[in-house]
Amino acid sequence: MENLKKTCLYDSHVSLGAQMSPFGGFMMPIQYSDIASEHLAVRKSRGMFDVSHMGEIFIAGPDAEAFVNHVFTNDVTKLEAGHIQYGMMLYPEGGVVDDLLVYRMPEPGTWMLVVNASNIAKDYEWICREASGWNIEASDESEKFGQIALQGPDAEKTVSEALGMDLSDQVFYTFKEVSWNGEYVIASRSGYTGEDGFEFYASPEVTRKIWDVLLAAEVKPCGLGCRDTLRFEAGLPLYGHELSENISPLEAGLGMFVKLDKPDFIGKKAVEELKAAGLKRKLAGIELSDRAIPRAGYPVEADGRQIGEVTTGYHSISTDRSVCLAFVESPYSVLGTGVDIRIRKKVFHGTVCRKRFYEKKYKK
């Protein structure tokens, strides 16, 4: 426990009475009041998250674009400055090193990779190892940045009224560098909740100031508990659950972010071979006919045997349905297929449904 890191907002979380718990090597707030009220604040109005635990790795130099395209599944050659792409870095065997966001910075030849907290050191080591022979410089600048995510249908209005920033011209998956009270801030419009929203990357000191201004504006602080319920409802993956070194992006249903028409990228051959051979398992959504809650690791059964395993499951706060994501053998992933989920000693019937349990509301 003593080796756990603290974000620049840790003291504020403690003073607000947040329930703290280890996550990704950090002590993070799980909830301040309760998960349901924080979840609904984001769905109906606005809420904010400390996501300063996320990592920021910068890549710059003459070969930067080609290198990023080599280690990333999406095609960054089509990405304009001020725009963001989602995708993955893969091992040669086709498993996922990490899923991440790539920012093409305004400075020529400069890229920011936003990676998962638990994978910062692993990702940076992997990037540095792969960078041999390329004319680039990679730097892990995670310690220099805090990050706040402001999410919800009232996010744009809050940015304008509370922070005095006009970001109304931004659309989903774009960003810009702004000056806020004379301080440097990267403001992006993406999110991990299924709602409209913004992220603010700034120095730890400026991050604390932004947080305090938003608190004073009565923006509800939200913990990682509802961040998980929100992303899950929107069908968004979590590394370690729906993606890992043993899970292909094709199996996770993320093939749209793997551009096999690119000349080459690490893991491409393995993905092509897997696609040609046919997927033995796929990620599926399952809705239970009962209010029982399917949790990660619970077996999925059909025809008298186990055919899969739950990765994430909740009684959905927004839809009042008991639903889960699960990897199942491919023949059982077809919409409408009946399956059973074993919860302790009981079996509950379920039906395969769409993986997106809640419709996203981004500003396109």
Side-chain angles (χ1 to χ4, degrees):
M1 294 288 284
E2 62 271 10
N3 294 325
L4 290 168
K5 297 179 181 178
K6 297 176 182 177
T7 74
C8 55
L9 297 173
Y10 175 84
D11 289 343
S12 182
H13 304 321
V14 173
S15 69
L16 290 167
Q19 176 187 321
M20 307 295 290
S21 184
F23 180 85
F26 290 77
M27 279 299 286
M28 296 296 295
I30 303 304
Q31 63 187 64
Y32 299 82
S33 51
D34 63 275
I35 289 174
S37 66
E38 293 171 18
H39 177 110
L40 292 172
V42 173
R43 286 278 181 255
K44 296 179 178 180
S45 175
R46 70 217 177 147
M48 63 178 179
F49 301 85
D50 175 13
V51 282
S52 303
H53 60 316
M54 300 292 282
E56 293 84 17
I57 297 171
F58 281 76
I59 295 173
D63 292 346
E65 179 183 295
F67 175 76
V68 172
N69 216 37
H70 175 65
V71 299
F72 190 55
T73 58
N74 217 326
D75 188 356
V76 303
T77 63
K78 301 173 182 178
L79 195 64
E80 298 176 4
H83 288 248
I84 309 165
Q85 268 186 356
Y86 172 79
M88 288 130 277
M89 297 188 296
L90 303 183
Y91 292 105
E93 300 77 22
V96 179
V97 179
D98 202 1
D99 66 326
L100 64 151
L101 296 176
V102 167
Y103 286 54
R104 186 174 200 140
M105 304 303 289
E107 299 80 9
T110 304
W111 303 76
M112 180 172 76
L113 280 53
V114 181
V115 303
N116 286 299
S118 58
N119 292 335
I120 296 171
K122 178 188 76 172
D123 289 359
Y124 185 58
E125 289 173 9
W126 185 79
I127 286 168
C128 290
R129 191 164 58 246
E130 294 297 332
S132 177
W134 295 81
N135 189 4
I136 63 156
E137 288 186 12
S139 57
D140 176 8
E141 301 190 16
S142 307
E143 299 289 338
K144 298 179 182 178
F145 285 94
Q147 187 194 156
I148 295 168
L150 174 65
Q151 299 279 292
D154 293 339
E156 183 181 296
K157 180 181 178 184
T158 302
V159 168
S160 174
E161 293 180 353
L163 296 175
M165 293 185 194
D166 181 7
L167 302 180
S168 58
D169 61 332
Q170 284 190 249
V171 294
F172 189 55
Y173 267 41
T174 65
F175 74 96
K176 59 184 177 182
E177 298 171 309
V178 300
S179 177
W180 182 75
N181 292 340
E183 303 282 2
Y184 174 77
V185 176
I186 299 171
S188 62
R189 192 166 200 162
S190 62
Y192 190 53
T193 62
E195 300 295 337
D196 186 22
F198 299 87
E199 297 76 41
F200 302 103
Y201 301 82
S203 69
E205 181 184 0
V206 174
T207 299
R208 284 190 287 268
K209 290 177 181 177
I210 293 174
W211 180 267
D212 288 343
V213 169
L214 293 174
L215 272 182
E218 299 184 344
V219 176
K220 192 173 186 68
C222 300
L224 296 185
C226 82
R227 193 165 175 82
D228 197 47
T229 59
L230 289 160
R231 70 89 193 167
F232 161 73
E233 286 184 347
L236 301 169
L238 176 64
Y239 189 88
H241 290 251
E242 289 77 37
L243 287 170
S244 76
E245 62 184 43
N246 300 313
I247 299 171
S248 162
L250 299 188
E251 296 172 323
L254 299 170
M256 70 183 75
F257 304 107
V258 181
K259 304 303 183 186
L260 292 174
D261 56 348
K262 288 201 309 184
D264 192 32
F265 61 86
I266 297 172
K268 179 183 177 183
K269 186 171 185 241
V271 173
E272 288 176 329
E273 290 174 352
L274 180 63
K275 186 176 182 179
L279 301 176
K280 294 182 179 179
R281 63 175 180 174
K282 292 182 180 178
L283 188 68
I286 301 172
E287 179 174 1
L288 271 65
S289 54
D290 193 276
R291 291 183 67 84
I293 301 175
R295 300 292 190 193
Y298 286 1
V300 182
E301 301 176 351
D303 299 326
R305 64 185 182 87
Q306 182 172 345
I307 53 95
E309 185 175 286
V310 173
T311 60
T312 306
Y314 287 104
H315 188 84
S316 166
I317 296 168
S318 302
T319 66
D320 196 30
R321 300 156 60 200
S322 285
V323 286
C324 67
L325 296 170
F327 278 110
V328 299
E329 294 175 14
S330 292
Y332 297 92
S333 67
V334 179
L335 293 179
T337 302
V339 297
D340 294 318
I341 295 181
R342 185 170 293 277
I343 301 177
R344 291 176 287 277
K345 294 183 179 180
K346 291 186 177 181
V347 170
F348 296 87
H349 184 68
T351 304
V352 174
C353 61
R354 293 176 69 234
K355 294 191 292 288
R356 187 184 301 170
F357 309 113
Y358 176 86
E359 287 305 316
K360 301 170 185 174
K361 297 176 181 176
Y362 301 137
K363 182 173 180 178
K364 297 290 189 178

